[in-house]
Amino acid sequence: MSAFVPPSALRSLRSTPASLRSSTFSQLQSKRVAQAPNARQAARWHMVVTGRNGSQAPSTLQSSGGFDLASDVIDDKLWDVQIPRMSKIVCTIGPKTCDIESIEKLAETGMDIVRLNMSHGTHEWHGKVIETVREVNSRGRFNLGLLLDTKGPEVRSGDLKAPIQVKRGQKFTWTVRKDFDSFDDFTVDVSYDDFVKDVHVGDTLLVDGGMCSFLVTDVTDKDVLSECIDGGTLTSRRHLNVRGKSASLPAITAKDWEDIKFGMENNVDFYALSFVKHEDDVQTLISYLRKNNSLALVLSKIESADAVKRLRPILEASDGAMVARGDLGAEIPVEDVPLVQDEIVSINRSIRKPTIVATHMLESMITYPSPTRAEVADITEAVRQGADATMLSGETANGSYPYKALSVMATVAESVVSQDCALSENDLFSPVLRMNESKAQDARLDLAFGASTMASRLNVAAIVVFTRVGTYAKLVSCTRPRCPVIAFTPDEDLVRRLTLYWGVKPFELAFSDDPEETISRAVKFLIEKGLTSTGDTLVITSDMLVTDKSKVNTIQVRTVH
């Protein structure tokens, strides 16, 4: 069977002179077939190119990592690329994965961040999970981050004596009345008293994101009358959305504040703020955390119609974002969800903030041991867009195959990075163009671009960053280098906060007053961890590697001895 050649390779062939096409195509095929499956080089990548001179033998060239290549190269293809997974994976912990053996196995399989879903479980239960994660981290193999996901302002239906089968055309009443004894078989209460004010005739009401749907036909002071559009089975406490609208509830509820305080007591690293509608919601939480000496990052969950209308201001106010596609798809047209996802990732890349793509990524693997092909394509698209992380929810919380699901996500993400590194037309490894940057921009950004460019051209094992507050590591990450970014910091909490960033491998290291001693410790640590070896080249960047404690931005190139 002939080797697969991606569309981008074929596009380049169309523009290649006829005299070069056959040799170019055969080189691509032969190189791909000849590659041994186990020829994996964790920190190396090589480029196979065909020159304009039509030479039959492929030559080797060092890449520019998204910057201009030598002018005599026309069809560069890194077919033997084997670089590590750069995007991160967030896993939701549930009843099936809350013990120490399960969490350690998830970490071994590829989990970078543990998600605590505050919509379920008690503080006592989540506290035990946090203790377990800390125990796993203390063993020295992993630095798992902790993400607390707030429940947010939800509108839910009430309790039912038994499930209700609803058919198309059935009249159904949603009410804020509490005289339950007077309800007929097709009347159910709603948890939100202002529901009758937010809903209008002609609105579409969705149950659990569309499992059932109803057209609103009339609204009274206590009831919302509707007609079933898409039938199904209605059970107790179902989530309700109105297509195109957000409930007029505060973004941070009383329960959320209690959960946030719980998170602060347990020093979690990230907060995912549900149902953000305005940038003020984010600023309120960030201000509260900073006043209470918490440096945890606040990620806005984009899952409401109101948030989409104020996308850029919300993202600029946040430390990062999560694309929560479940509720988002219930509040905006479902065909718009991929476009909004792409826009969120694009904006965050331009302002150098991380993005998590979440919800339904491997939904079928809650029940089945293998993914659908569409799910694999979904992960691929998220990684190619440049998302810093992808997330598993029910797949790892209560699914039948949590480790298989995580393994699939990790394998696909690694494969995408390796393949896209081979495609010169793909911009995954290119930094977003710095358009409309302030004239007073941080000079360290230019240093980060320089380090990334140098690392790519010199084919280094890693970029090593020494940082006290994380800024340098984040800036280098945003340039999307083709090698890992090893971040050293003396701050244990910062190590966990850096776990979210694309390509960053953070480690705790005590800094010495002598820069050479600090570098020597770092290199020794990398050798012990198997992240580098004698003869490797490293690019080292920092503003702290000077003896007089002044701020001097530096880039060094060193060979490991």
Side-chain angles (χ1 to χ4, degrees):
M1 178 168 48
S2 63
F4 167 70
V5 178
S8 59
L10 299 179
R11 285 197 298 271
S12 65
L13 285 171
R14 296 191 191 105
S15 58
T16 305
S19 60
L20 298 183
R21 288 178 190 168
S22 59
S23 61
T24 303
F25 190 81
S26 63
Q27 287 167 15
L28 292 179
Q29 284 192 313
S30 61
K31 185 65 180 178
R32 187 62 169 171
V33 172
Q35 179 185 347
N38 60 354
R40 306 176 65 84
Q41 299 181 17
R44 299 292 190 283
W45 53 276
H46 303 283
M47 177 177 289
V48 178
V49 301
T50 301
R52 282 196 174 95
N53 60 8
S55 172
Q56 295 294 320
S59 59
T60 301
L61 183 73
Q62 293 168 334
S63 163
S64 62
F67 296 79
D68 290 338
L69 291 172
S71 59
D72 64 338
V73 176
I74 188 171
D75 194 19
D76 54 311
K77 302 296 170 192
L78 288 72
W79 285 122
D80 60 344
V81 170
Q82 288 295 343
I83 63 176
R85 172 171 58 89
M86 301 295 230
S87 61
K88 305 304 181 70
I89 299 178
V90 182
C91 293
T92 306
I93 299 301
K96 290 190 175 182
T97 52
C98 61
D99 59 276
I100 191 165
E101 291 79 13
S102 297
I103 290 177
E104 191 162 40
K105 187 172 181 179
L106 288 172
E108 291 170 348
T109 309
M111 175 176 68
D112 299 290
I113 296 172
V114 170
R115 174 180 176 244
L116 307 172
N117 184 1
M118 304 311 290
S119 295
H120 306 283
T122 63
H123 283 182
E124 181 182 5
W125 186 88
H126 287 295
K128 290 179 180 178
V129 172
I130 292 172
E131 290 177 4
T132 302
V133 172
R134 300 284 193 232
E135 172 62 26
V136 171
N137 284 348
S138 70
R139 296 178 178 181
R141 295 177 60 200
F142 306 105
N143 293 305
L144 300 174
L146 282 166
L147 184 152
L148 187 149
D149 196 332
T150 64
K151 180 179 180 181
E154 292 184 322
V155 180
R156 289 187 177 271
S157 61
D159 289 318
L160 299 173
K161 296 178 181 178
I164 301 174
Q165 294 292 332
V166 186
K167 297 182 179 180
R168 179 178 176 85
Q170 173 69 54
K171 305 297 182 182
F172 204 91
T173 301
W174 310 85
T175 183
V176 296
R177 292 183 281 116
K178 303 303 177 185
D179 53 336
F180 306 114
D181 293 338
S182 66
F183 291 2
D184 61 26
D185 291 340
F186 296 98
T187 298
V188 66
D189 65 303
V190 177
S191 63
Y192 173 45
D193 289 342
D194 284 338
F195 184 68
V196 292
K197 297 179 181 179
D198 288 351
V199 177
H200 300 89
V201 174
D203 285 345
T204 300
L205 179 63
L206 303 177
V207 179
D208 278 353
M211 299 301 291
C212 301
S213 59
F214 299 82
L215 177 67
V216 176
T217 56
D218 194 14
V219 180
T220 68
D221 59 341
K222 295 289 185 180
D223 298 336
V224 173
L225 308 180
S226 66
E227 180 179 316
C228 180
I229 302 172
D230 296 305
T233 302
L234 183 66
T235 57
S236 298
R237 299 180 180 274
R238 295 301 87 197
H239 187 56
L240 305 178
N241 293 95
V242 178
R243 175 78 75 187
K245 293 184 178 181
S246 301
S248 53
L249 287 165
I252 308 178
T253 66
K255 172 180 166 44
D256 292 337
W257 281 118
E258 291 301 315
D259 292 340
I260 289 165
K261 292 174 184 177
F262 167 78
M264 292 171 58
E265 292 170 0
N266 288 277
N267 194 26
V268 302
D269 309 297
F270 311 95
Y271 291 90
L273 186 58
S274 296
F275 295 100
V276 171
K277 293 184 286 187
H278 196 279
E279 58 271 22
D280 290 347
D281 303 330
V282 186
Q283 291 166 348
T284 296
L285 178 53
I286 291 178
S287 297
Y288 178 80
L289 293 173
R290 301 300 176 260
K291 286 179 182 178
N292 288 277
N293 301 315
S294 172
L295 296 177
L297 303 185
V298 176
L299 313 176
S300 290
K301 290 179 69 177
I302 307 301
E303 54 188 336
S304 69
D306 288 348
V308 174
K309 297 172 185 175
R310 299 194 58 80
L311 202 52
R312 181 171 280 274
I314 289 173
L315 296 179
E316 289 177 343
S318 309
D319 295 314
M322 179 187 293
V323 189
R325 303 179 301 180
D327 285 296
L328 182 62
E331 294 209 2
I332 68 173
V334 68
E335 64 271 20
D336 289 346
V337 172
L339 305 179
V340 173
Q341 173 180 313
D342 184 61
E343 185 176 4
I344 293 169
V345 175
S346 178
I347 292 174
N348 266 352
R349 286 193 64 182
S350 69
I351 60 178
R352 297 178 288 280
K353 294 183 179 181
T355 305
I356 301 171
V357 175
T359 318
H360 299 153
M361 300 218 78
L362 288 170
E363 186 80 359
S364 71
M365 292 194 72
I366 293 177
T367 306
Y368 302 104
S370 61
T372 68
R373 309 312 179 254
E375 288 169 339
V376 172
D378 186 31
I379 298 171
T380 299
E381 179 62 16
V383 175
R384 278 187 170 163
Q385 286 173 350
D388 291 75
T390 50
M391 191 176 94
L392 295 171
S393 300
E395 298 94 334
T396 52
N398 55 25
S400 299
Y401 305 96
Y403 312 111
K404 282 189 175 181
L406 176 55
S407 179
V408 167
M409 178 168 280
T411 301
V412 172
E414 181 178 355
S415 175
V416 171
V417 171
S418 293
Q419 291 180 31
D420 281 22
C421 189
L423 307 181
S424 60
E425 296 178 8
N426 192 285
D427 65 354
L428 173 60
F429 289 94
S430 300
V432 174
L433 293 177
R434 295 175 289 169
M435 308 264 315
N436 303 318
E437 290 276 9
S438 167
K439 292 182 179 179
Q441 71 180 38
D442 192 337
R444 289 174 297 184
L445 179 59
D446 288 317
L447 191 78
F449 274 82
S452 181
T453 306
M454 188 176 295
S456 295
R457 289 177 174 168
L458 296 177
N459 188 23
V460 304
I463 298 175
V464 179
V465 182
F466 295 91
T467 180
R468 292 190 186 275
V469 295
T471 303
Y472 252 129
K474 297 172 187 177
L475 290 175
V476 174
S477 170
C478 83
T479 67
R480 295 299 193 258
R482 298 175 186 258
C483 63
V485 179
I486 310 296
F488 287 108
T489 176
D491 187 339
E492 178 185 0
D493 293 346
L494 177 58
V495 169
R496 297 192 305 274
R497 292 196 298 273
L498 288 174
T499 55
L500 178 58
Y501 291 86
W502 192 94
V504 176
K505 294 181 179 294
F507 297 101
E508 184 180 3
L509 181 75
F511 290 174
S512 168
D513 290 337
D514 180 358
E516 283 302 316
E517 183 179 346
T518 300
I519 294 175
S520 178
R521 287 179 186 172
V523 172
K524 181 180 178 181
F525 179 90
L526 293 176
I527 292 174
E528 291 174 351
K529 287 283 187 178
L531 297 173
T532 191
S533 58
T534 302
D536 283 350
T537 302
L538 301 174
V539 167
I540 299 174
T541 181
S542 178
D543 62 354
M544 299 183 299
L545 299 178
V546 289
T547 55
D548 60 0
K549 296 185 179 181
S550 60
K551 295 289 184 180
V552 179
N553 297 324
T554 62
I555 302 178
Q556 304 179 27
V557 179
R558 298 206 178 195
T559 301
V560 178
H561 296 292

